[in-house]
Amino acid sequence: CTQEGTSGMFSVHNPVFMTRPTQLQVFQRSFSNKGTGRGIGTYCMKLFGEEYLKGKVWFSTSEDKGTTFFVSVPLSPGDADEDTP
């Protein structure tokens, strides 16, 4: 967790690269490559982070660096910025 200007940013890293088909579905409700009855985590992260906390949620992935998910939320309600990545 770090402070970036008027936002707090959380990140979680996984050493595994996500293929393009996975990247396109990762925030969809009920999507999982681990089996049935799963797939709510990244969907909820996106919904809660953007709709309720007025922040931004995204990820970066590459074969050499793996995958990192980011959540950036305003530290004060008036600081919500639509231009955050």
Side-chain angles (χ1 to χ4, degrees):
C1 179
T2 60
Q3 183 174 345
E4 301 286 331
T6 60
S7 296
M9 185 171 343
F10 301 87
S11 63
V12 177
H13 182 261
N14 185 308
V16 178
F17 167 70
M18 283 194 302
T19 63
R20 186 68 179 153
T22 299
Q23 292 175 40
L24 296 173
Q25 299 177 76
V26 73
F27 291 120
Q28 291 180 6
R29 186 176 183 180
S30 300
F31 170 76
S32 175
N33 55 10
K34 295 180 180 178
T36 60
R38 304 176 67 104
I40 197 87
T42 55
Y43 169 79
C44 285
M45 180 175 80
K46 184 90 165 165
L47 176 69
F48 189 71
E50 294 188 356
E51 296 299 320
Y52 294 99
L53 296 177
K54 303 302 181 197
K56 294 289 179 185
V57 176
W58 72 100
F59 66 90
S60 67
T61 189
S62 67
E63 291 186 35
D64 59 327
K65 294 181 181 178
T67 303
T68 304
F69 282 89
F70 300 92
V71 178
S72 177
V73 294
L75 296 174
S76 298
D79 291 338
D81 183 358
E82 297 298 322
D83 293 329
T84 304

